[in-house]
Tab-separated table of all heavy atoms in Angstrom:
chain	number	residue	atom	x	y	z
E	171	ALA	N	28.834	-2.444	4.430
E	171	ALA	CA	29.479	-2.707	5.720
E	171	ALA	C	30.987	-2.847	5.547
E	171	ALA	O	31.775	-2.380	6.392
E	171	ALA	CB	28.892	-3.966	6.349
E	172	ALA	N	31.421	-3.451	4.432
E	172	ALA	CA	32.855	-3.659	4.195
E	172	ALA	C	33.593	-2.343	4.002
E	172	ALA	O	34.770	-2.237	4.372
E	172	ALA	CB	33.044	-4.557	2.978
E	173	GLU	N	32.925	-1.341	3.425
E	173	GLU	CA	33.605	-0.063	3.220
E	173	GLU	C	33.484	0.860	4.429
E	173	GLU	O	34.109	1.921	4.476
E	173	GLU	CB	33.060	0.642	1.975
E	173	GLU	CG	31.688	1.260	2.140
E	173	GLU	CD	31.277	2.120	0.947
E	173	GLU	OE1	31.932	2.034	-0.112
E	173	GLU	OE2	30.299	2.874	1.093
E	174	SER	N	32.714	0.463	5.422
E	174	SER	CA	32.509	1.289	6.615
E	174	SER	C	33.591	1.013	7.656
E	174	SER	O	33.895	-0.149	7.943
E	174	SER	CB	31.137	0.997	7.217
E	174	SER	OG	31.051	1.467	8.544
E	175	PRO	N	34.178	2.041	8.260
E	175	PRO	CA	35.164	1.819	9.327
E	175	PRO	C	34.582	1.043	10.506
E	175	PRO	O	35.313	0.367	11.230
E	175	PRO	CB	35.559	3.238	9.740
E	175	PRO	CG	35.241	4.100	8.560
E	175	PRO	CD	34.037	3.480	7.933
E	176	GLN	N	33.261	1.148	10.690
E	176	GLN	CA	32.616	0.449	11.809
E	176	GLN	C	32.176	-0.961	11.432
E	176	GLN	O	31.696	-1.708	12.290
E	176	GLN	CB	31.399	1.249	12.305
E	176	GLN	CG	31.753	2.583	12.950
E	176	GLN	CD	32.092	3.650	11.911
E	176	GLN	OE1	31.637	3.578	10.762
E	176	GLN	NE2	32.891	4.621	12.309
E	177	GLY	N	32.268	-1.302	10.148
E	177	GLY	CA	31.860	-2.624	9.701
E	177	GLY	C	30.359	-2.835	9.703
E	177	GLY	O	29.896	-3.981	9.804
E	178	THR	N	29.590	-1.752	9.589
E	178	THR	CA	28.136	-1.858	9.602
E	178	THR	C	27.555	-1.052	8.444
E	178	THR	O	28.249	-0.229	7.825
E	178	THR	CB	27.544	-1.316	10.917
E	178	THR	OG1	27.790	0.097	10.998
E	178	THR	CG2	28.157	-1.998	12.118
E	179	SER	N	26.277	-1.275	8.178
E	179	SER	CA	25.573	-0.472	7.186
E	179	SER	C	24.128	-0.288	7.633
E	179	SER	O	23.644	-0.970	8.538
E	179	SER	CB	25.624	-1.138	5.805
E	179	SER	OG	25.016	-2.418	5.833
E	180	GLY	N	23.425	0.625	6.955
E	180	GLY	CA	22.063	0.968	7.347
E	180	GLY	C	22.051	2.110	8.334
E	180	GLY	O	23.086	2.716	8.650
E	181	ASN	N	20.867	2.469	8.804
E	181	ASN	CA	20.688	3.505	9.833
E	181	ASN	C	21.162	4.882	9.410
E	181	ASN	O	21.424	5.743	10.260
E	181	ASN	CB	21.372	3.094	11.144
E	181	ASN	CG	20.666	1.944	11.833
E	181	ASN	OD1	19.478	1.714	11.618
E	181	ASN	ND2	21.388	1.212	12.653
E	182	TYR	N	21.258	5.132	8.106
E	182	TYR	CA	21.699	6.451	7.651
E	182	TYR	C	20.668	7.523	8.030
E	182	TYR	O	21.030	8.651	8.374
E	182	TYR	CB	21.943	6.427	6.139
E	182	TYR	CG	22.900	5.327	5.748
E	182	TYR	CD1	22.449	4.182	5.093
E	182	TYR	CD2	24.258	5.402	6.065
E	182	TYR	CE1	23.313	3.150	4.764
E	182	TYR	CE2	25.130	4.374	5.736
E	182	TYR	CZ	24.650	3.250	5.091
E	182	TYR	OH	25.513	2.219	4.777
E	183	GLY	N	19.384	7.154	7.992
E	183	GLY	CA	18.353	8.099	8.410
E	183	GLY	C	18.457	8.459	9.879
E	183	GLY	O	18.251	9.617	10.261
E	184	LEU	N	18.800	7.494	10.730
E	184	LEU	CA	19.022	7.799	12.147
E	184	LEU	C	20.259	8.668	12.331
E	184	LEU	O	20.273	9.582	13.171
E	184	LEU	CB	19.179	6.505	12.953
E	184	LEU	CG	17.914	5.711	13.278
E	184	LEU	CD1	18.272	4.509	14.135
E	184	LEU	CD2	16.867	6.563	13.970
Side-chain angles (χ1 to χ4, degrees):
E173 74 172 14
S174 163
Q176 293 77 25
T178 66
S179 60
N181 290 337
Y182 306 107
L184 283 183

